[in-house]
Amino acid sequence: MSEIRSICVFCGSALGADPAFEAAARTLGETMAREQIRLVYGGGSIGLMGTVARAVLDGGGTVLGVIPQFLVDREVMLPEVSELVVTQDMHQRKRIMFEQCDAFVTLPGGIGTLEEVVEQMTWVQLGQHAKPIVLADIGGFWHPLAELLEHMRRSGFIRPGLEVSYSVVGRIEDVIPTARAVQAQTRIAVGAGLPLDRL
């Protein structure tokens, strides 16, 4: 049985131009609720953030929202969440989200979403954690990022031994199985004595 009990979802505070983005967020939330996986997210009530959180709650699941005070002041938080943590700033928010999850899933989003997932990729690259990172490549949304990372590798800026560890799935239904499979592989590797920066 998987030990993934909480997933941190990064995603946009807008719905995006493609209705498939919202549908994917809703399906992910419904699946997490059904499989009793807690959602950890940025606490917002709008866009894909609100969609995935409401889907988890509507399915009887648990949601931890982590939001900085300046966004509370703008009244964009989702008050119905199971637990809400209000932080002093964005850095504290990201640290708590990291500490409270077993894996990361990234739906389509803007520059904030990109910044969040790339930071976690960097931490994996530097051996600071080995939590699964899954890009939900709905409609090919994350394909340009994957191409950029490959370009960095070919250009010699992602060197052997410092590869960026992440998974890409095209179907939202494959997100949780992929995260579980990566976690299982990581557990085997750690059991074999491999350091985190070699996973």
Side-chain angles (χ1 to χ4, degrees), residues 87-163:
T87 65
Q88 295 179 351
D89 53 38
M90 295 290 283
H91 296 293
Q92 186 183 20
R93 177 199 214 181
K94 290 190 291 184
R95 168 56 67 177
I96 291 172
M97 291 169 72
F98 167 78
E99 292 172 346
Q100 291 294 318
C101 77
D102 303 309
F104 299 92
V105 170
T106 307
L107 295 169
I111 193 167
T113 302
L114 176 64
E115 184 267 340
E116 288 172 322
V117 69
V118 168
E119 180 175 57
Q120 293 307 322
M121 289 178 176
T122 303
W123 288 6
V124 171
Q125 187 186 40
L126 297 176
Q128 298 305 295
H129 76 85
K131 298 178 182 182
I133 298 172
V134 181
L135 299 180
D137 190 35
I138 308 304
F141 183 86
W142 290 114
H143 186 65
L145 174 60
E147 286 188 329
L148 176 59
L149 292 170
E150 175 59 19
H151 171 67
M152 291 175 177
R153 187 196 64 77
R154 291 195 308 266
S155 299
F157 291 103
I158 298 178
R159 301 184 302 279
L162 290 174
E163 289 82 5

Side-chain angles (χ1 to χ4, degrees), residues 9-141:
V9 176
F10 300 135
C11 58
S13 59
L15 293 175
D18 188 341
F21 300 155
E22 185 179 10
R26 186 176 299 109
T27 298
L28 178 61
E30 291 168 351
T31 304
M32 290 176 65
R34 186 168 58 249
E35 304 214 11
Q36 298 182 323
I37 298 173
R38 180 180 65 158
L39 169 66
V40 178
Y41 87 120
S45 64
I46 57 178
L48 298 185
M49 294 176 69
T51 299
V52 68
R54 288 189 180 92
V56 173
L57 292 169
D58 290 346
T62 304
V63 175
L64 169 62
V66 187
I67 191 167
Q69 182 64 50
F70 76 91
L71 288 181
V72 172
D73 295 340
R74 295 181 185 178
E75 298 182 342
V76 296
M77 67 178 184
L78 183 65
E80 298 89 349
V81 296
S82 313
E83 181 182 358
L84 183 69
V85 175
V86 179
T87 65
Q88 295 179 351
D89 53 38
M90 295 290 283
H91 296 293
Q92 186 183 20
R93 177 199 214 181
K94 290 190 291 184
R95 168 56 67 177
I96 291 172
M97 291 169 72
F98 167 78
E99 292 172 346
Q100 291 294 318
C101 77
D102 303 309
F104 299 92
V105 170
T106 307
L107 295 169
I111 193 167
T113 302
L114 176 64
E115 184 267 340
E116 288 172 322
V117 69
V118 168
E119 180 175 57
Q120 293 307 322
M121 289 178 176
T122 303
W123 288 6
V124 171
Q125 187 186 40
L126 297 176
Q128 298 305 295
H129 76 85
K131 298 178 182 182
I133 298 172
V134 181
L135 299 180
D137 190 35
I138 308 304
F141 183 86

